[in-house]
Tab-separated table of all heavy atoms in Angstrom:
chain	number	residue	atom	x	y	z
A	1331	VAL	N	1.373	9.931	-5.675
A	1331	VAL	CA	1.934	11.274	-5.510
A	1331	VAL	C	2.782	11.648	-6.723
A	1331	VAL	O	2.739	12.776	-7.202
A	1331	VAL	CB	2.766	11.355	-4.208
A	1331	VAL	CG1	3.552	12.652	-4.153
A	1331	VAL	CG2	1.856	11.229	-3.011
A	1332	SER	N	3.553	10.686	-7.231
A	1332	SER	CA	4.428	10.999	-8.366
A	1332	SER	C	3.637	11.315	-9.622
A	1332	SER	O	4.128	12.010	-10.502
A	1332	SER	CB	5.409	9.850	-8.630
A	1332	SER	OG	4.714	8.721	-9.113
A	1333	GLU	N	2.429	10.835	-9.717
A	1333	GLU	CA	1.603	11.111	-10.894
A	1333	GLU	C	0.819	12.408	-10.763
A	1333	GLU	O	0.219	12.881	-11.715
A	1333	GLU	CB	0.635	9.951	-11.130
A	1333	GLU	CG	1.337	8.691	-11.583
A	1333	GLU	CD	0.379	7.521	-11.770
A	1333	GLU	OE1	-0.841	7.730	-11.713
A	1333	GLU	OE2	0.879	6.414	-11.970
A	1334	PHE	N	0.812	12.991	-9.557
A	1334	PHE	CA	0.094	14.235	-9.332
A	1334	PHE	C	0.718	15.341	-10.168
A	1334	PHE	O	1.931	15.479	-10.250
A	1334	PHE	CB	0.156	14.604	-7.841
A	1334	PHE	CG	-0.657	15.808	-7.490
A	1334	PHE	CD1	-2.018	15.723	-7.380
A	1334	PHE	CD2	-0.045	17.019	-7.268
A	1334	PHE	CE1	-2.771	16.836	-7.046
A	1334	PHE	CE2	-0.777	18.129	-6.939
A	1334	PHE	CZ	-2.146	18.039	-6.829
A	1335	ARG	N	-0.094	16.123	-10.819
A	1335	ARG	CA	0.401	17.210	-11.673
A	1335	ARG	C	0.588	18.472	-10.844
A	1335	ARG	O	-0.363	19.103	-10.413
A	1335	ARG	CB	-0.587	17.488	-12.808
A	1335	ARG	CG	-0.858	16.303	-13.675
A	1335	ARG	CD	0.343	16.025	-14.542
A	1335	ARG	NE	0.037	14.904	-15.411
A	1335	ARG	CZ	0.901	13.974	-15.736
A	1335	ARG	NH1	2.109	14.021	-15.277
A	1335	ARG	NH2	0.570	12.986	-16.515
A	1336	TRP	N	1.841	18.847	-10.623
A	1336	TRP	CA	2.152	20.039	-9.845
A	1336	TRP	C	2.079	21.267	-10.741
A	1336	TRP	O	2.307	21.212	-11.930
A	1336	TRP	CB	3.559	19.935	-9.257
A	1336	TRP	CG	3.681	18.838	-8.257
A	1336	TRP	CD1	4.116	17.571	-8.493
A	1336	TRP	CD2	3.329	18.883	-6.884
A	1336	TRP	NE1	4.072	16.829	-7.352
A	1336	TRP	CE2	3.588	17.617	-6.339
A	1336	TRP	CE3	2.824	19.870	-6.045
A	1336	TRP	CZ2	3.360	17.308	-5.003
A	1336	TRP	CZ3	2.609	19.560	-4.720
A	1336	TRP	CH2	2.876	18.303	-4.215
A	1337	SER	N	1.820	22.398	-10.119
A	1337	SER	CA	1.841	23.651	-10.864
A	1337	SER	C	3.297	24.015	-11.142
A	1337	SER	O	4.209	23.465	-10.537
A	1337	SER	CB	1.152	24.749	-10.058
A	1337	SER	OG	1.821	24.944	-8.841
A	1338	PRO	N	3.548	24.941	-12.035
A	1338	PRO	CA	4.936	25.325	-12.327
A	1338	PRO	C	5.654	25.765	-11.062
A	1338	PRO	O	5.047	26.347	-10.167
A	1338	PRO	CB	4.791	26.491	-13.299
A	1338	PRO	CG	3.431	26.350	-13.874
A	1338	PRO	CD	2.591	25.683	-12.823
A	1339	PRO	N	6.949	25.511	-10.968
A	1339	PRO	CA	7.691	25.889	-9.764
A	1339	PRO	C	7.732	27.401	-9.584
A	1339	PRO	O	7.623	28.155	-10.543
A	1339	PRO	CB	9.091	25.332	-10.015
A	1339	PRO	CG	9.164	25.051	-11.468
A	1339	PRO	CD	7.770	24.872	-11.966
A	1340	LEU	N	7.910	27.802	-8.351
A	1340	LEU	CA	7.998	29.225	-8.043
A	1340	LEU	C	9.359	29.771	-8.448
A	1340	LEU	O	10.355	29.062	-8.410
A	1340	LEU	CB	7.830	29.445	-6.539
A	1340	LEU	CG	6.488	29.091	-5.930
A	1340	LEU	CD1	6.571	29.205	-4.418
A	1340	LEU	CD2	5.411	30.005	-6.465
A	1341	SER	N	9.383	31.028	-8.782
A	1341	SER	CA	10.673	31.676	-9.048
A	1341	SER	C	11.405	31.862	-7.720
A	1341	SER	O	10.815	31.756	-6.645
A	1341	SER	CB	10.448	33.027	-9.710
A	1341	SER	OG	9.868	33.932	-8.783
A	1342	SER	N	12.687	32.153	-7.784
A	1342	SER	CA	13.461	32.350	-6.551
A	1342	SER	C	12.930	33.543	-5.755
A	1342	SER	O	12.887	33.514	-4.529
A	1342	SER	CB	14.937	32.531	-6.865
A	1342	SER	OG	15.135	33.657	-7.685
A	1343	VAL	N	12.490	34.567	-6.453
A	1343	VAL	CA	11.952	35.747	-5.761
A	1343	VAL	C	10.634	35.407	-5.062
A	1343	VAL	O	10.406	35.813	-3.923
A	1343	VAL	CB	11.771	36.919	-6.750
A	1343	VAL	CG1	11.069	38.079	-6.103
A	1343	VAL	CG2	13.118	37.339	-7.307
A	1344	ALA	N	9.779	34.622	-5.708
A	1344	ALA	CA	8.518	34.214	-5.091
A	1344	ALA	C	8.781	33.336	-3.871
A	1344	ALA	O	8.091	33.451	-2.853
A	1344	ALA	CB	7.645	33.486	-6.102
A	1345	CYS	N	9.793	32.480	-3.957
A	1345	CYS	CA	10.162	31.640	-2.807
A	1345	CYS	C	10.644	32.501	-1.645
A	1345	CYS	O	10.270	32.260	-0.494
A	1345	CYS	CB	11.242	30.647	-3.187
A	1345	CYS	SG	10.644	29.257	-4.139
A	1346	GLU	N	11.471	33.491	-1.942
A	1346	GLU	CA	11.949	34.389	-0.890
A	1346	GLU	C	10.786	35.097	-0.221
A	1346	GLU	O	10.757	35.253	0.994
A	1346	GLU	CB	12.933	35.409	-1.455
A	1346	GLU	CG	14.261	34.812	-1.822
A	1346	GLU	CD	15.200	35.793	-2.481
A	1346	GLU	OE1	14.802	36.959	-2.742
A	1346	GLU	OE2	16.346	35.402	-2.756
A	1347	ASP	N	9.826	35.523	-1.009
A	1347	ASP	CA	8.659	36.206	-0.477
A	1347	ASP	C	7.859	35.272	0.426
A	1347	ASP	O	7.372	35.675	1.484
A	1347	ASP	CB	7.794	36.696	-1.640
A	1347	ASP	CG	7.044	37.968	-1.320
A	1347	ASP	OD1	7.568	38.805	-0.569
A	1347	ASP	OD2	5.936	38.124	-1.851
A	1348	MET	N	7.729	34.019	0.030
A	1348	MET	CA	6.947	33.053	0.785
A	1348	MET	C	7.688	32.603	2.052
A	1348	MET	O	7.105	32.536	3.127
A	1348	MET	CB	6.630	31.835	-0.085
A	1348	MET	CG	5.716	30.841	0.574
A	1348	MET	SD	5.215	29.525	-0.547
A	1348	MET	CE	6.762	28.690	-0.801
A	1349	ILE	N	8.957	32.305	1.939
A	1349	ILE	CA	9.743	31.822	3.080
A	1349	ILE	C	10.011	32.944	4.069
A	1349	ILE	O	9.975	32.752	5.275
A	1349	ILE	CB	11.071	31.208	2.591
A	1349	ILE	CG1	10.787	29.929	1.813
A	1349	ILE	CG2	12.019	30.944	3.743
A	1349	ILE	CD1	11.969	29.396	1.057
A	1350	GLY	N	10.284	34.093	3.549
A	1350	GLY	CA	10.611	35.246	4.384
A	1350	GLY	C	11.942	35.823	3.932
A	1350	GLY	O	12.952	35.119	3.901
A	1351	ILE	N	11.927	37.063	3.557
A	1351	ILE	CA	13.129	37.705	3.040
A	1351	ILE	C	14.198	37.772	4.126
A	1351	ILE	O	15.377	37.584	3.854
A	1351	ILE	CB	12.779	39.091	2.462
A	1351	ILE	CG1	11.832	38.899	1.272
A	1351	ILE	CG2	14.025	39.851	2.040
A	1351	ILE	CD1	11.149	40.145	0.796
A	1352	GLU	N	13.778	37.957	5.386
A	1352	GLU	CA	14.753	37.999	6.479
A	1352	GLU	C	15.410	36.640	6.690
A	1352	GLU	O	16.597	36.542	7.029
A	1352	GLU	CB	14.113	38.511	7.775
A	1352	GLU	CG	13.302	37.503	8.555
A	1352	GLU	CD	11.930	37.164	7.987
A	1352	GLU	OE1	11.587	37.584	6.877
A	1352	GLU	OE2	11.197	36.451	8.691
A	1353	VAL	N	14.656	35.560	6.439
A	1353	VAL	CA	15.211	34.206	6.551
A	1353	VAL	C	16.242	33.984	5.449
A	1353	VAL	O	17.341	33.465	5.700
A	1353	VAL	CB	14.090	33.151	6.484
A	1353	VAL	CG1	14.658	31.747	6.412
A	1353	VAL	CG2	13.143	33.300	7.666
A	1354	MET	N	15.901	34.364	4.233
A	1354	MET	CA	16.835	34.190	3.115
A	1354	MET	C	18.107	35.016	3.323
A	1354	MET	O	19.206	34.555	3.025
A	1354	MET	CB	16.164	34.557	1.792
A	1354	MET	CG	14.986	33.674	1.447
A	1354	MET	SD	15.349	31.901	1.451
A	1354	MET	CE	16.559	31.802	0.166
A	1355	LEU	N	17.965	36.219	3.850
A	1355	LEU	CA	19.136	37.048	4.122
A	1355	LEU	C	20.015	36.384	5.180
A	1355	LEU	O	21.239	36.330	5.040
A	1355	LEU	CB	18.704	38.447	4.580
A	1355	LEU	CG	19.815	39.428	4.898
A	1355	LEU	CD1	20.691	39.685	3.680
A	1355	LEU	CD2	19.225	40.726	5.421
A	1356	ALA	N	19.402	35.843	6.233
A	1356	ALA	CA	20.159	35.163	7.283
A	1356	ALA	C	20.876	33.926	6.737
A	1356	ALA	O	22.041	33.679	7.070
A	1356	ALA	CB	19.238	34.777	8.433
A	1357	VAL	N	20.206	33.163	5.885
A	1357	VAL	CA	20.828	31.976	5.290
A	1357	VAL	C	22.007	32.381	4.414
A	1357	VAL	O	23.089	31.772	4.480
A	1357	VAL	CB	19.791	31.157	4.486
A	1357	VAL	CG1	20.459	30.097	3.625
A	1357	VAL	CG2	18.770	30.532	5.421
A	1358	ASN	N	21.820	33.408	3.597
A	1358	ASN	CA	22.927	33.895	2.758
A	1358	ASN	C	24.107	34.326	3.616
A	1358	ASN	O	25.257	34.025	3.292
A	1358	ASN	CB	22.483	35.053	1.874
A	1358	ASN	CG	21.788	34.589	0.619
A	1358	ASN	OD1	21.865	33.431	0.245
A	1358	ASN	ND2	21.099	35.501	-0.016
A	1359	ASN	N	23.840	35.024	4.722
A	1359	ASN	CA	24.919	35.472	5.593
A	1359	ASN	C	25.652	34.294	6.230
A	1359	ASN	O	26.878	34.310	6.342
A	1359	ASN	CB	24.386	36.424	6.663
A	1359	ASN	CG	23.991	37.770	6.092
A	1359	ASN	OD1	24.439	38.161	5.022
A	1359	ASN	ND2	23.134	38.479	6.805
A	1360	LEU	N	24.908	33.266	6.646
A	1360	LEU	CA	25.528	32.072	7.228
A	1360	LEU	C	26.391	31.338	6.206
A	1360	LEU	O	27.514	30.920	6.514
A	1360	LEU	CB	24.464	31.131	7.786
A	1360	LEU	CG	23.798	31.571	9.077
A	1360	LEU	CD1	22.616	30.667	9.400
A	1360	LEU	CD2	24.795	31.571	10.218
A	1361	LEU	N	25.863	31.182	4.996
A	1361	LEU	CA	26.630	30.505	3.955
A	1361	LEU	C	27.885	31.289	3.598
A	1361	LEU	O	28.959	30.711	3.405
A	1361	LEU	CB	25.770	30.287	2.711
A	1361	LEU	CG	24.690	29.220	2.828
A	1361	LEU	CD1	23.773	29.258	1.615
A	1361	LEU	CD2	25.317	27.846	2.996
A	1362	TYR	N	27.766	32.591	3.538
A	1362	TYR	CA	28.925	33.424	3.224
A	1362	TYR	C	29.992	33.293	4.316
A	1362	TYR	O	31.176	33.146	4.027
A	1362	TYR	CB	28.512	34.879	3.042
A	1362	TYR	CG	29.667	35.781	2.720
A	1362	TYR	CD1	30.316	35.696	1.493
A	1362	TYR	CD2	30.126	36.716	3.633
A	1362	TYR	CE1	31.389	36.514	1.186
A	1362	TYR	CE2	31.194	37.537	3.341
A	1362	TYR	CZ	31.824	37.435	2.109
A	1362	TYR	OH	32.880	38.247	1.816
A	1363	ALA	N	29.559	33.333	5.580
A	1363	ALA	CA	30.501	33.215	6.691
A	1363	ALA	C	31.172	31.844	6.708
A	1363	ALA	O	32.369	31.732	6.990
A	1363	ALA	CB	29.785	33.465	8.013
A	1364	ALA	N	30.418	30.800	6.400
A	1364	ALA	CA	30.955	29.440	6.448
A	1364	ALA	C	31.839	29.120	5.248
A	1364	ALA	O	32.863	28.447	5.386
A	1364	ALA	CB	29.816	28.435	6.539
A	1365	LEU	N	31.451	29.585	4.076
A	1365	LEU	CA	32.142	29.197	2.851
A	1365	LEU	C	33.049	30.282	2.275
A	1365	LEU	O	33.852	30.005	1.387
A	1365	LEU	CB	31.111	28.783	1.794
A	1365	LEU	CG	30.169	27.652	2.204
A	1365	LEU	CD1	29.113	27.441	1.133
A	1365	LEU	CD2	30.947	26.378	2.479
A	1366	ASN	N	32.871	31.507	2.749
A	1366	ASN	CA	33.619	32.659	2.239
A	1366	ASN	C	33.550	32.753	0.717
A	1366	ASN	O	34.527	33.039	0.046
A	1366	ASN	CB	35.071	32.622	2.718
A	1366	ASN	CG	35.728	33.979	2.605
A	1366	ASN	OD1	35.055	34.994	2.633
A	1366	ASN	ND2	37.039	33.999	2.457
A	1367	ASN	N	32.356	32.491	0.210
A	1367	ASN	CA	32.126	32.522	-1.232
A	1367	ASN	C	31.315	33.779	-1.555
A	1367	ASN	O	30.203	33.943	-1.049
A	1367	ASN	CB	31.366	31.265	-1.660
A	1367	ASN	CG	31.176	31.162	-3.155
A	1367	ASN	OD1	31.156	32.157	-3.858
A	1367	ASN	ND2	31.035	29.948	-3.641
A	1368	PRO	N	31.823	34.677	-2.384
A	1368	PRO	CA	31.106	35.919	-2.701
A	1368	PRO	C	29.710	35.690	-3.281
A	1368	PRO	O	28.857	36.571	-3.211
A	1368	PRO	CB	31.999	36.619	-3.716
A	1368	PRO	CG	33.259	35.862	-3.799
A	1368	PRO	CD	33.089	34.571	-3.080
A	1369	LYS	N	29.486	34.511	-3.820
A	1369	LYS	CA	28.172	34.186	-4.364
A	1369	LYS	C	27.082	34.315	-3.295
A	1369	LYS	O	25.946	34.636	-3.589
A	1369	LYS	CB	28.220	32.754	-4.904
A	1369	LYS	CG	26.922	32.168	-5.333
A	1369	LYS	CD	27.179	30.806	-5.948
A	1369	LYS	CE	26.181	29.805	-5.528
A	1369	LYS	NZ	26.374	28.506	-6.151
A	1370	TYR	N	27.453	34.086	-2.030
A	1370	TYR	CA	26.479	34.124	-0.939
A	1370	TYR	C	26.488	35.425	-0.162
A	1370	TYR	O	25.790	35.553	0.827
A	1370	TYR	CB	26.725	32.956	0.020
A	1370	TYR	CG	26.539	31.626	-0.645
A	1370	TYR	CD1	27.614	30.777	-0.858
A	1370	TYR	CD2	25.282	31.225	-1.079
A	1370	TYR	CE1	27.445	29.562	-1.488
A	1370	TYR	CE2	25.107	30.011	-1.706
A	1370	TYR	CZ	26.186	29.185	-1.908
A	1370	TYR	OH	26.019	27.983	-2.530
A	1371	HIS	N	27.301	36.394	-0.588
A	1371	HIS	CA	27.296	37.683	0.100
A	1371	HIS	C	25.921	38.308	-0.062
A	1371	HIS	O	25.324	38.242	-1.137
A	1371	HIS	CB	28.377	38.603	-0.471
A	1371	HIS	CG	28.592	39.817	0.355
A	1371	HIS	ND1	27.954	40.993	0.093
A	1371	HIS	CD2	29.359	40.026	1.453
A	1371	HIS	CE1	28.325	41.891	0.983
A	1371	HIS	NE2	29.178	41.330	1.827
Side-chain angles (χ1 to χ4, degrees):
V1331 170
S1332 69
E1333 291 178 9
F1334 185 77
R1335 302 287 182 218
W1336 294 95
S1337 60
L1340 295 173
S1341 69
S1342 60
V1343 173
C1345 284
E1346 288 175 356
D1347 211 33
M1348 185 173 67
I1349 292 168
I1351 297 167
E1352 80 285 8
V1353 172
M1354 297 306 298
L1355 180 61
V1357 168
N1358 278 345
N1359 289 339
L1360 286 171
L1361 288 171
Y1362 180 69
L1365 303 174
N1366 199 26
N1367 184 334
K1369 172 175 138 178
Y1370 297 112
H1371 191 266

